[in-house]
Amino acid sequence: MHSLDATNFLTDDEIELQRMARRFMDNEVAAATPEMEATGTLPMDLMREMGSLGLLGTFFPEKYGGGGFTITSRAIVSEEMARVNAGLDISIFADIVLFARAIARHGTEEQKQKYLVPVLRGEKIGSMAITEPKGGSDALSARSHARQDGSDYIVDGHKIFITNAPVADFILVIVRTEGKDREINGGTWFIIERGADGLTTSQPFDKLGMKSSPTGEVFIDSVRVPAENILGEVNRGFHYLMESLDVERVLEGASNIGIAQACLDASAQYAQERVVFGKPISQYQLIQEKIADMAMGIELSRTMLYRLMRAVERDEVVTREASILKLYSSKMAVQASSDAVQIYGGNGYMEEYPVARFYRDAKHHEIGAGTTEIQKIIIARETLKHYGRT
Ligand SMILES: Cc1cc2nc3c(=O)[nH]c(=O)nc-3n(C[C@H](O)[C@H](O)[C@H](O)COP(=O)(O)OP(=O)(O)OC[C@H]3O[C@@H](n4cnc5c(N)ncnc54)[C@H](O)[C@@H]3O)c2cc1C
C-alpha cells in the first residue's frame, strides 16, 4: 500500500493503467526477479505478456499496436516497474523509450511496420548504441563511422555499455558520416539487425547493479547496411539525439522515484517490525529522520516529474528542468537506498533482503543518460542564459 502515489496528477484512464501495471509487477515480475537477477536475461515470455497487456507500447499510436496514451503513461509504468525491478525497467527504457520512440519519431512507414510493431508486442528487443570506449559524456566525439558504397553504407565502429546489446534483435547505432569531431552535423542513425555480417555483440558485463538488464558491447566490422535502414535523414542523427535527451532525462526521474518508493515501502515496514532496546526502531527519531527524508524526496521528485510530463505533452522545452529532476531524483534515490540498507542493519547487507539490490541499482541513474556532472553543467548553462550570460 502506498501512502503516496501519482494519483493526484493522473486521469481516470491513467489511474487504471497504473493499477494494472502495479498488479502485473507485484504478481508476475516480483516472483521472477531473483531468477532475472541471477541470469541477467530478459525472459521473452514476460516481454510478450507485457506486450499483450499493453504495458510496453502505452504511448504509441494504436495502429502500431500502441495504447494511444500520452507519453506520461511511460512515467506511470516506469515508476511501477522500477519499484519492483529497476533492471527490467532500464531494459524496457532502452527498448521502448530509446529504440521504439526513435523509430516512431523518425522512421518510414516500412520501418515502423518492421521494427516498431514487433517491439511493442514484446516479440523483439531493441537497443540504442551511442556510447563508445572513448566518449560517453562527449557523444559528439563518436569515432564509429560509415561511408557510402553505391546505395549501401559500410559501417565500422565499437560501442560499449549498451543496454540490451547481448540480446537485442535490432540495434540503432549512431556513427559519423560527415563532418569533424564534435560537430553536431554529420551523425547518422543506422538500424542494424542481429545476424548482419560483421556485427557481433559481447557477453553481458558483470556489473554492480541492474543485474536483470543485460549490458554489453557492440562490434561493427564493415557491416553493409542498406539505405533503407537509415533512420531519418543522413547527417541529422546528432540533432535527433539532442532533441530526445530532455524527455529521456525526465523519464529517468520516474525510475528513481520507483526505486525510492521501494526503499520507503520496505523501510517503513521493517522499522515497525524490528524491535531493538525494547521498542520498534520506527520509534527512534534517527530512524524517523531517514523515513522523513525518503518521503520528502519522493514527494518533491514526483510532483516535478508529472508537472514536466504534462509540459512534455505540450511540446514545451524543459532542458533545464529535465536535468534538475534527473540530478535531484537520482541523488535522492541513492540516498534513500543507502538509508534503507542502514535501517535494515546487518540484514540490509544480506542478499536475502531486497534493499541491497536497491542500493546497487540506484547508483546507475547517477551515470546513465548523462552523468550528475553533465547535468550540473547543463543546469548552470541554462540558468545563466536567463541572466544573459553563458
Ligand atoms: C548499466 C549501464 C547501461 C547503459 N546503457 C547505455 C545504452 O543503452 N546506450 C548507450 O549509448 N549508453 C549506455 N550507457 C552508457 C552511459 O550513457 C555512459 O556510461 C555515460 O554517459 C557516461 O559516459 P562514460 O561512461 O564514458 O563516462 P565519461 O564520459 O568517461 O566520464 C567519466 C567521469 O568524468 C565526468 N566528466 C565528463 N566530462 C566532464 C566535464 N566536462 N566536467 C566535469 N566532469 C566531467 C563524468 O561525469 C564522469 O564522472 C550505459 C551505462 C551503464 C552503466
Side-chain angles (χ1 to χ4, degrees), residues 323-340:
S323 288
I324 290 174
L325 175 64
K326 200 235 177 227
L327 191 155
Y328 176 81
S329 64
S330 57
K331 269 181 174 310
M332 181 279 291
V334 167
Q335 187 60 51
S337 64
S338 171
D339 285 348

Side-chain angles (χ1 to χ4, degrees), residues 2 4-8 10 12-24 55 69 73 76-77 79-80 83 302 306:
H2 302 278
L4 300 168
D5 64 21
T7 318
N8 287 343
L10 306 181
D12 288 349
D13 286 348
E14 289 169 342
I15 291 170
E16 201 39 56
L17 174 71
Q18 182 193 46
R19 287 192 184 134
M20 197 255 279
R22 187 171 299 169
R23 270 197 309 273
F24 184 79
L55 287 171
F69 282 95
S73 61
I76 296 167
V77 172
E79 254 203 73
E80 295 304 323
R83 185 177 57 79
R302 189 175 274 141
Y306 287 97

Side-chain angles (χ1 to χ4, degrees), residues 92-355:
I92 303 301
F93 180 87
D95 188 42
I96 296 298
V97 179
L98 301 183
F99 179 83
R101 184 164 175 268
I103 302 287
R105 280 165 67 85
H106 305 294
T108 61
E109 188 54 33
E110 246 180 17
Q111 289 171 339
K112 289 178 193 171
Q113 292 298 339
K114 190 166 174 196
Y115 301 113
L116 181 59
V117 170
V119 163
L120 299 190
R121 283 197 191 125
E123 289 167 358
K124 300 280 183 192
I125 293 180
S127 173
M128 180 184 266
I130 306 161
T131 306
E132 300 193 354
K134 288 206 169 140
S137 304
D138 188 8
L140 297 183
S141 292
R143 299 281 198 281
S144 301
H145 55 275
R147 64 178 168 82
Q148 200 164 3
D149 184 37
S151 64
D152 298 344
Y153 279 78
I154 308 296
V155 184
D156 279 283
H158 179 192
K159 302 285 181 179
I160 196 166
F161 308 143
I162 307 305
T163 300
N164 296 344
V167 296
D169 300 284
F170 314 132
I171 306 179
L172 191 52
V173 177
I174 190 153
V175 307
R176 194 163 274 290
T177 35
E178 205 178 276
K180 291 201 261 331
D181 203 34
R182 306 229 69 251
E183 230 174 70
I184 183 119
N185 293 320
T188 303
W189 286 106
F190 291 92
I191 309 166
I192 307 186
E193 297 185 30
R194 181 167 299 279
D197 255 2
L199 176 81
T200 45
T201 56
S202 70
Q203 289 296 307
F205 285 109
D206 187 9
K207 50 192 195 304
L208 173 69
M210 300 293 192
K211 288 176 184 280
S212 293
S213 170
T215 315
E217 287 174 88
V218 181
F219 304 97
I220 312 154
D221 186 8
S222 297
V223 176
R224 179 172 288 276
V225 184
E228 73 224 34
N229 278 31
I230 291 171
L231 184 70
E233 279 180 50
V234 174
N235 295 329
R236 295 283 305 163
F238 289 125
H239 291 275
Y240 302 153
L241 175 63
M242 297 301 158
E243 285 159 20
S244 63
L245 282 175
D246 290 353
V247 174
E248 291 160 19
R249 286 173 181 157
V250 176
L251 283 170
E252 209 170 271
S255 186
N256 287 319
I257 294 165
I259 295 171
Q261 183 70 57
C263 293
L264 177 57
D265 292 346
S267 300
Q269 191 184 338
Y270 187 85
Q272 290 178 79
E273 286 166 3
R274 180 72 171 178
V275 174
V276 183
F277 292 115
K279 284 189 201 169
I281 58 172
S282 61
Q283 293 184 19
Y284 298 122
Q285 289 181 342
L286 288 173
I287 299 293
Q288 290 174 359
E289 182 191 40
K290 298 188 207 318
I291 300 282
D293 284 344
M294 288 183 210
M296 278 192 304
I298 293 168
E299 184 75 358
L300 290 169
S301 302
R302 189 175 274 141
T303 303
M304 187 167 194
L305 168 69
Y306 287 97
R307 179 173 79 74
L308 290 186
M309 289 314 304
R310 296 306 185 204
V312 167
E313 286 175 9
R314 294 189 298 267
D315 268 339
E316 290 173 22
V317 175
V318 294
T319 307
R320 190 178 79 110
E321 292 78 4
S323 288
I324 290 174
L325 175 64
K326 200 235 177 227
L327 191 155
Y328 176 81
S329 64
S330 57
K331 269 181 174 310
M332 181 279 291
V334 167
Q335 187 60 51
S337 64
S338 171
D339 285 348
V341 170
Q342 200 66 20
I343 288 173
Y344 272 67
N347 282 331
Y349 211 73
M350 301 296 140
E351 289 297 334
E352 194 183 336
Y353 293 86
V355 289

